[in-house]
Amino acid sequence: MRWLIKNIPNLFTLLNLSLGVLAINLVLTSNSEEAPVVHYYVLAAGICDLLDGFLARKLKVQSAFGLQLDSLADLITFGVLPMFIYATYVPLEGWGILLLLVPICSAIRLAIFNLDDSQKSVFKGISTTAHGVFVALLPIIIYNHSDWVGSFLNDNPEGLLIMAVFFSWLMVSPLRMISLKFNDWSLKSNWQRYLLILSSMVFVLVLEYESAPFIMLFYILLSVTSNFGSLSNKSTD
């Protein structure tokens, strides 16, 4: 029984991995005329990614094995899969070869995370999961020519290449990004997290899946301004 409890989080990690593999297969075999549904797989994988860590902490079965398994699964679902999504619109030739930076930087980011104890409450660089979920929503936005983002990317695929390179850099950058890991529930120490969650809910209610670019932009801007706030507080100490 103890063995089963110990491996419950790992089962969610493996489900995350399985969904990622199924999503890659879907991207490679789907008809371009069909409405893309890869985001359903990735959103479900994202939930599994949240649950495995949450359950490991609650059941007190955290382990080095679970940490490494989680990173390997995340590399497939949120590192390799996004490259194939980008490659649907930008061929892996010429400048398009730069799309390889996505899985490369994802692997580097995950390796750094596993070795860096300072990222328990704040991320350095954007997480692979956040980037992977964002990229998974792009096909449905582009397919529907939704808002100015979808129309622009549909007509200018080079914008996707620039986006891929930017997020690849952001994953391995030292920029401190807001994490949704709560050490306590106080408003004073978590106001950025609460603001991000509330704003994201409003965006989703108003724009549905089209909210993804706006949530990501707000997330980056909020993280940058929080960095400036932290620096100013340090300078006045």
Side-chain angles (χ1 to χ4, degrees), residues 39 46 51 76 83 95 104 119 195 202 204-205 211 218 225 233-235:
H39 53 287
L51 284 175
I76 298 299
M83 186 209 69
W95 287 106
I104 289 172
Q119 297 194 55
L195 179 58
V202 172
V204 171
L205 287 173
S211 63
F218 182 73
T225 54
N233 289 337
K234 290 180 180 179
S235 64

Side-chain angles (χ1 to χ4, degrees), residues 51-152:
L51 284 175
D52 60 9
F54 174 79
L55 290 171
R57 290 189 296 272
K58 287 297 181 181
L59 297 173
K60 297 181 179 180
V61 291
Q62 294 166 287
S63 67
F65 173 81
L67 178 65
Q68 300 303 322
L69 185 65
D70 181 64
S71 290
L72 291 170
D74 286 351
L75 178 58
I76 298 299
T77 304
F78 306 112
V80 176
L81 171 61
M83 186 209 69
F84 282 108
I85 294 175
Y86 282 127
T88 302
Y89 309 97
V90 183
L92 277 169
E93 57 188 33
W95 287 106
I97 202 71
L98 290 175
L99 291 179
L100 290 174
L101 287 172
V102 175
I104 289 172
C105 291
S106 295
I108 294 172
R109 192 263 180 286
L110 288 165
I112 292 173
F113 178 80
N114 285 354
L115 298 173
D116 189 355
D117 291 334
S118 69
Q119 297 194 55
K120 298 303 181 184
S121 59
V122 177
F123 291 140
K124 290 180 183 177
I126 194 169
S127 72
T128 54
T129 302
H131 172 244
V133 171
F134 169 68
V135 175
L137 289 167
L138 291 178
I140 191 66
I141 295 174
I142 295 172
Y143 177 82
N144 288 320
H145 294 236
S146 305
D147 58 56
W148 64 271
V149 177
S151 298
F152 173 79

Side-chain angles (χ1 to χ4, degrees), residues 10 49 88 105 148 151 160 168 173 188 196 203 213 228 234:
N10 294 334
D49 190 40
T88 302
C105 291
W148 64 271
S151 298
L160 280 167
S168 295
S173 75
K188 182 178 180 180
L196 177 60
F203 278 128
F228 283 121
K234 290 180 180 179

